[in-house]
Amino acid sequence: MLQALGIFQRATPEQLWKLTRPGNRHDRLTRDNLLDMEDHRLVRIESVQKDQRQVWVLTDRGHREARKLLEPEGIRVSVLRKEEYDPDTGELLGTGYSDHAAAVTSTAAELHRSGIGYPLAFQTEIPHRLTGGYVQRADLVMRAPQAKVPILLLEIDRRTEDAHQLVRKLRRYADWFRLLPPDADQRTVDLVRSRPDAIEQLVGHEERLWRRVYPPTGREGTPPLAFVFADTTAARVANTVKVLEEAGRRYWAPRRYDSFYGGITALDYGQVVPVVVTTLERLQEHGADAAVWRRLGRTGEQTLTAALDNPDGDALYRRQYERVEEKDKRQRAAEREAQRPVCSRCGAKFTDQRWEETTARPGAWKAGDLSVCGVCHGDDVARREAAAEAERAARRRAEEAAARAVAEAGVKKSRGLFGRRR
């Protein structure tokens, strides 16, 4: 409970019940714990709202204890709500309770109650500094890898901002996700400055600033952004979402894959900011793990993980690419087979080796009759070699006969010469 108040600064017993003991059926035990902690001067009641809700905060002692619990985990502790009184009237100062802050805490409570995230998974008012010094603060940041939501940035809207202001928020988040870290390689920095598309085409997410701050999303694209609307009407939510979809399309909409092959219907989510929307009332009524989230660009509501998944994204692209590549390979093989030459002598199709022999320029002159297959060509070669061998054999026999004739003539001549001498 100290941790929850250290993160969210102020909370009602109902919110603390959902943040710390969601398995309980009611907040009675939470109220007892708060009273016990009040006795130990760790917490105090800051105010009581018109609907009799008590707003609890940490005392100075409780704040020190919360720091001991949170800071070792790398979690920023909220500012201490000091107990100060008006010197003239004696009234407690600073008891105003922001409805927006309450909605942020309630959103986290509903997420935790549904098993998405845990108290230490939440942080509030996380700054994202943009070029030029502007800081975009996320109302709530949740890390829930066990729920397959490694990171989720949430903006809570209570009719205080019009739709175009939310579009500008979306643009600022998209710009921050494109930033390079301060120690980026100078060559990369120069490349991004010289080419507007370089950050998307040549610089992966692992090389960007956001990966120094947040874990991998486990999906394509940047960390997802959720808009949670509270204390508003369904018509106003519908109008706001319509503007977000139309005016913010360049930030959340996937693109077609550039592919040599046709038949690729998968979409490229690599550079998009996934945006989901819901209302606090639907979270409270059905639970954050129910189908109450709508992804921009889709119709109907889904569970949070289903809304963040991209079934028509990279996985589908790989399957489709393999399928069309195999189809193209078969088609090219069929076209090649249809062009395969047929032997003019026996009617048999050429083998790949014979086809290459008859078409390869450097060796075609050695291939003999280009209209016959390898077997018939082999027969031709065998006949030519047999004829050549027969010719060589005949030539040898003739040469041998001529040599014998010469030898016999020499013998006869020598016998006649010696005979006359006798």
Side-chain angles (χ1 to χ4, degrees):
M1 208 166 294
L2 287 174
Q3 293 171 328
L5 286 172
I7 293 171
F8 295 100
Q9 194 181 60
R10 293 175 288 185
T12 64
E14 181 184 10
Q15 291 171 335
L16 290 170
W17 157 45
K18 293 177 181 179
L19 282 168
T20 60
R21 299 178 180 275
N24 291 2
R25 297 181 60 185
H26 44 72
D27 63 356
R28 184 181 304 165
L29 184 59
T30 302
R31 291 177 182 274
D32 292 342
N33 287 343
L34 284 170
L35 293 174
D36 183 61
M37 293 170 65
E38 185 181 31
D39 291 340
H40 288 81
R41 293 180 297 171
L42 294 173
V43 298
R44 64 181 177 86
I45 298 175
E46 184 182 62
S47 64
V48 178
Q49 301 302 299
K50 293 179 180 179
D51 58 2
Q52 300 305 308
R53 287 182 302 162
Q54 296 175 331
V55 179
W56 291 78
V57 297
L58 293 173
T59 62
D60 183 57
R61 180 181 178 185
H63 193 265
R64 290 196 302 270
E65 293 299 319
R67 288 173 66 93
K68 294 177 183 179
L69 296 171
L70 294 175
E71 288 184 345
E73 301 293 333
I75 298 174
R76 182 175 61 87
V77 183
S78 61
V79 177
L80 172 65
R81 299 285 299 176
K82 294 183 179 180
E83 191 173 5
E84 298 177 339
Y85 296 88
D86 188 294
D88 297 325
T89 65
E91 292 182 359
L92 182 65
L93 299 175
T95 58
Y97 187 42
S98 166
D99 289 330
H100 179 267
V104 171
T105 305
S106 292
T107 299
E110 295 304 329
L111 287 164
H112 180 252
R113 182 171 70 97
S114 299
I116 304 174
Y118 58 101
L120 297 185
F122 298 101
Q123 289 182 282
T124 61
E125 293 296 315
I126 300 302
H128 302 84
R129 187 173 299 277
L130 294 159
T131 304
Y134 186 88
V135 177
Q136 176 63 56
R137 295 185 181 274
D139 290 332
L140 186 65
V141 172
M142 180 186 72
R143 303 171 190 244
Q146 79 286 353
K148 299 183 180 179
V149 187
I151 183 68
L152 179 66
L153 281 60
L154 297 102
E155 288 289 335
I156 317 302
D157 177 57
R158 293 188 61 261
R159 298 179 297 174
T160 57
E161 298 176 293
D162 65 28
H164 292 283
Q165 287 178 301
L166 299 185
V167 173
R168 287 192 287 273
K169 278 190 176 183
L170 172 57
R171 174 182 58 80
R172 289 193 287 266
Y173 279 115
D175 290 344
W176 188 79
F177 292 141
R178 291 165 56 91
L179 293 179
L180 294 173
D183 59 349
D185 178 75
Q186 188 60 43
R187 181 175 177 276
T188 304
V189 174
D190 294 339
L191 181 63
V192 170
R193 287 175 178 171
S194 62
R195 287 184 52 182
D197 63 338
I199 192 71
E200 296 181 354
Q201 301 294 331
L202 304 174
V203 182
H205 289 292
E206 292 297 320
E207 302 177 63
R208 302 186 196 179
L209 174 62
W210 76 261
R211 276 294 288 112
R212 303 285 184 88
V213 181
Y214 297 125
T217 65
R219 300 173 175 88
E220 305 103 299
T222 69
L225 176 63
F227 287 100
V228 179
F229 302 100
D231 301 326
T232 186
T233 64
R236 185 181 177 91
V237 171
N239 291 335
T240 302
V241 171
K242 183 178 180 181
V243 174
L244 271 173
E245 283 191 314
E246 293 175 355
R249 177 173 292 274
R250 62 174 297 188
Y251 308 113
W252 62 259
R255 304 169 185 174
R256 291 286 182 185
Y257 274 102
D258 293 328
S259 175
F260 173 78
Y261 300 113
I264 299 292
T265 62
L267 299 174
D268 183 2
Y269 289 86
Q271 302 301 324
V272 307
V273 181
V275 179
V276 295
V277 298
T278 189
T279 66
L280 179 56
E281 290 73 22
R282 290 188 63 76
L283 294 179
Q284 292 171 334
E285 180 181 359
H286 303 286
D289 56 344
V292 296
W293 304 85
R294 185 193 157 197
R295 174 83 172 259
L296 291 193
R298 299 180 188 174
T299 58
E301 293 178 317
Q302 301 173 284
T303 62
L304 180 57
T305 53
L308 296 178
D309 287 340
N310 303 308
D312 57 345
D314 185 61
L316 177 63
Y317 173 75
R318 290 196 299 269
R319 294 195 301 270
Q320 289 184 333
Y321 187 87
E322 291 174 359
R323 187 162 57 246
V324 297
E325 187 178 39
E326 182 61 29
K327 180 181 178 181
D328 182 71
K329 185 178 179 180
R330 291 195 304 269
Q331 183 177 348
R332 285 186 281 110
E335 291 173 354
R336 174 177 170 80
E337 195 62 29
Q339 297 173 356
R340 186 180 295 276
V342 176
C343 181
S344 60
R345 188 176 303 166
C346 69
K349 289 187 176 182
F350 281 24
T351 62
D352 288 341
Q353 181 180 355
R354 177 59 179 167
W355 195 358
E356 184 177 354
E357 288 175 354
T358 59
T359 54
R361 287 186 177 181
W365 65 275
K366 299 178 181 179
D369 187 350
L370 302 183
S371 67
V372 299
C373 65
V375 175
C376 293
H377 173 62
D379 293 341
D380 290 344
V381 172
R383 283 194 296 271
R384 285 197 299 270
E385 289 180 352
E389 182 61 30
E391 184 179 350
R392 287 193 295 270
R395 188 179 301 115
R396 284 196 301 272
R397 288 195 298 272
E399 290 173 353
E400 290 173 356
R404 286 196 300 272
V406 170
E408 290 176 357
V411 171
K412 290 180 180 180
K413 183 176 180 180
S414 61
R415 284 179 180 175
L417 179 60
F418 289 117
R420 286 195 298 271
R421 287 180 178 176
R422 284 194 303 267

